[in-house]
Amino acid sequence: DEYCIESIRAECVDFVKKLPPTVDRVLQAHTFGMKDHLNFCVQQLLENGQKDWGPCLEDSELVKILFAQSTDFNNELRNRLKRGHVHTGGILQDTHRMECGKCKNEPPPQRDILGGATTRHVWQCQRCKYSR
């Protein structure tokens, strides 16, 4: 900035914004004060399931940002599920609903625990008696 090279800086920022979000990009955006791009990258990485934030954890201010956005992201996920996520396959979480594959009825699941932490959900539709 002291050498009046704002146009070069703007070009670099535009280039960086075109790169895919990564943990290194988060660190870079934080280091150079690119708050909007930092927030964008963190949001994208959270949505993609990023778990290892590596070098970002060495900066306490960045950790605060990551924590705040992670909390907001988890709250948003929880709210989406409370509004009625219909579960059609995979793992059934406590806040999911199941739907009958035949008649679209939503029976409450009956849960069986099998072998340690593995939970298997077994239910039968009360309307058409379809079992899953």
Side-chain angles (χ1 to χ4, degrees):
D1 289 335
E2 68 181 273
Y3 297 107
C4 301
I5 53 173
E6 188 57 37
S7 62
I8 294 174
R9 184 180 193 282
E11 234 178 277
C12 291
V13 167
D14 288 343
F15 175 75
V16 167
K17 286 183 176 182
K18 291 177 185 173
L19 298 173
T22 63
V23 171
D24 288 335
R25 204 73 54 236
V26 168
L27 190 57
Q28 183 180 40
H30 178 68
T31 301
F32 294 103
M34 301 167 59
K35 291 181 182 179
D36 290 341
H37 191 59
L38 167 68
N39 292 332
F40 170 77
C41 288
V42 171
Q43 186 66 31
Q44 291 296 305
L45 291 172
L46 287 171
E47 287 177 11
N48 292 332
Q50 182 68 37
K51 290 184 181 13
D52 181 12
W53 294 91
C56 296
L57 302 178
E58 295 173 14
D59 185 315
S60 63
E61 288 302 311
L62 186 51
V63 168
K64 289 177 189 177
I65 293 168
L66 293 173
F67 181 76
Q69 286 204 29
S70 295
T71 301
D72 291 346
F73 180 76
N74 285 333
N75 288 338
E76 174 58 29
L77 282 179
R78 191 173 293 120
N79 288 336
R80 274 192 243 164
L81 292 176
K82 283 180 184 175
R83 287 191 297 261
H85 172 76
V86 175
H87 187 77
T88 57
I91 298 172
L92 180 68
Q93 303 295 330
D94 290 335
T95 54
H96 288 186
R97 297 179 310 160
M98 285 197 89
E99 183 177 86
C100 178
K102 287 178 109 177
C103 70
K104 304 299 183 199
N105 188 29
E106 294 180 22
Q110 297 173 1
R111 309 173 105 194
D112 296 326
I113 306 235
L114 302 174
T118 305
T119 302
R120 183 171 182 177
H121 305 276
V122 179
W123 57 267
Q124 182 178 38
C125 178
Q126 299 304 311
R127 186 183 303 160
C128 71
K129 304 300 182 201
Y130 173 73
S131 293
R132 184 168 180 161

